[in-house]
Amino acid sequence: QANYLREIEVDSAGNVYVLNAHRLNESCLLWKYASDGTPLACLSLLAPSSPAKVADPVALHLSHDGQTLYLLSGQQDREHPDSAVLYGVSTTDFSLVRTVTITGIPVVTSITEDPATGTLWVTGFRTMEQAPAFPWLPPEFTYTPLLGKVPAGVQTAEATAIADPTGDVSILPVSILWTGNE
């Protein structure tokens, strides 16, 4: 059921990759279509046979070389509440080719890549463990924005806070895009 489309990527051959996600995880699917719209593959991300169990997928990124699709779950892992897992699946057959645990980032929002180095960048945030006693506090006091740097070939990485040190700007990283080194 493809009625909750969330993310889309297109490779150099014109193949289209689409993430479908449902808040109740009824239809967390990764689709691959040919450039003419013909369905080529569908991976149920929660099926027992799925190589990458990704509930509520919120981020999809096609690697610069076009060989790997990276996926992130929008749900915090109850067993590992302070980390997220980045899954890399082959664009050829959706087999699992890479997993990376990113510590210090319980909720992820987006992913991009430096094409020159293959370094992946993941945004997200950490919320306060308890609601503030004073609900009129501005939102910047209720979460910490985070950025994870994942160099090529590593299996673990750590996120760091990216809050504005002056406190003048409230940052909630929703999306990230690589635009170049300068």
Side-chain angles (χ1 to χ4, degrees):
Q1 187 174 4
N3 53 0
Y4 298 99
L5 304 178
R6 185 168 281 175
E7 292 278 337
I8 187 168
E9 291 283 340
V10 180
D11 67 19
S12 61
N15 295 311
V16 179
Y17 303 89
V18 180
L19 264 182
N20 187 79
H22 189 275
R23 66 181 174 83
L24 300 176
N25 295 322
E26 296 169 345
S27 57
C28 293
L29 304 170
L30 175 60
W31 294 88
K32 180 179 180 178
Y33 294 93
S35 59
D36 66 0
T38 303
L40 299 176
C42 179
L43 173 64
S44 174
L45 295 169
L46 295 177
S49 61
S50 177
K53 305 277 191 288
V54 185
D56 186 28
V58 296
L60 176 68
H61 175 74
L62 176 65
S63 64
H64 182 69
D65 64 11
Q67 296 179 5
T68 307
L69 285 166
Y70 290 101
L71 301 117
L72 290 161
S73 173
Q75 293 187 2
Q76 187 174 21
D77 184 345
R78 292 177 193 229
E79 292 183 26
H80 305 96
D82 197 39
S83 63
V85 177
L86 172 69
Y87 297 93
V89 296
S90 166
T91 56
T92 306
D93 61 5
F94 289 161
S95 62
L96 187 63
V97 295
R98 184 177 184 197
T99 58
V100 178
T101 300
I102 307 169
T103 59
I105 190 165
V107 181
V108 294
T109 56
S110 190
I111 182 172
T112 193
E113 176 186 21
D114 174 350
T117 65
T119 297
L120 299 168
W121 296 90
V122 175
T123 57
F125 59 92
R126 176 179 30 255
T127 58
M128 291 181 73
E129 291 186 22
Q130 287 186 308
F134 306 104
W136 55 85
L137 286 175
E140 60 267 21
F141 291 110
T142 60
Y143 64 88
T144 302
L146 302 164
L147 180 65
K149 179 181 179 182
V150 182
V154 303
Q155 293 179 328
T156 59
E158 188 171 342
T160 57
I162 56 170
D164 177 19
T166 66
D168 293 337
V169 178
S170 177
I171 302 170
L172 180 59
V174 177
S175 184
I176 187 170
L177 176 70
W178 187 262
T179 59
N181 289 330
E182 297 299 321

